[in-house]
């Protein structure tokens, strides 16, 4: 049976019997390999949200690094917000009166 040319510049043909669009002799294996690599990277990024485990490209023995970094970041943000609120309250009590 024959094929119908869909996009000849990309090598795509349609099989009228099966009803699918496929390639005419071109392999998509390099693209599939890149997509698989991107999937592992995306799963690593999503896995970082839990704070457990380690990065794909990290050294062994650094499983709790994300949790500790998150705690230090939260500490500094809490300190900054707390000092800002204390400054606003002090300013309001000194100049305005609450």
């Amino acid at each position: 049976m024959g094929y119908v040319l869909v996009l000849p510049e990309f090598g795509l043909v349609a099989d009228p019997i099966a009803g699918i669009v496929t390639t005419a002799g071109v392999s998509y294996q390099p693209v599939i390999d890149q997509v698989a690599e991107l999937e592992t990277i995306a799963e690593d990024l999503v896995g970082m949200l839990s704070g457990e485990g380690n990065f794909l490209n990290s050294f062994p023995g650094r499983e709790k690094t994300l949790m500790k970094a998150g705690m230090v970041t939260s500490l500094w943000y809490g300190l900054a917000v707390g000092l800002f609120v204390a400054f606003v309250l002090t300013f309001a009590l000194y100049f305005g009166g609450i």
Side-chain angles (χ1 to χ4, degrees):
M1 192 72 201
Y3 292 106
V4 178
L5 288 174
V6 178
L7 288 172
E9 59 270 8
F10 293 111
L12 294 177
V13 295
D15 186 0
I17 302 295
I20 60 171
V21 175
T22 184
T23 61
V26 178
S27 175
Y28 282 133
Q29 192 59 40
V31 175
I32 293 171
D33 293 340
Q34 289 178 351
V35 169
E37 182 181 351
L38 286 175
E39 284 180 358
T40 57
I41 292 170
E43 288 176 7
D44 186 40
L45 287 173
V46 171
M48 280 192 264
L49 297 174
S50 69
E52 298 175 357
N54 55 354
F55 297 118
L56 287 176
N57 293 328
S58 66
F59 293 109
R62 297 187 178 182
E63 286 81 20
K64 300 287 183 177
T65 304
L66 294 172
M67 190 179 303
K68 291 176 185 175
M71 289 172 51
V72 170
T73 302
S74 297
L75 174 95
W76 286 110
Y77 277 126
L79 182 66
V81 170
L83 287 174
F84 178 73
V85 169
F87 173 75
V88 168
L89 287 176
T90 304
F91 189 76
L93 286 174
Y94 185 73
F95 287 112
I98 293 180

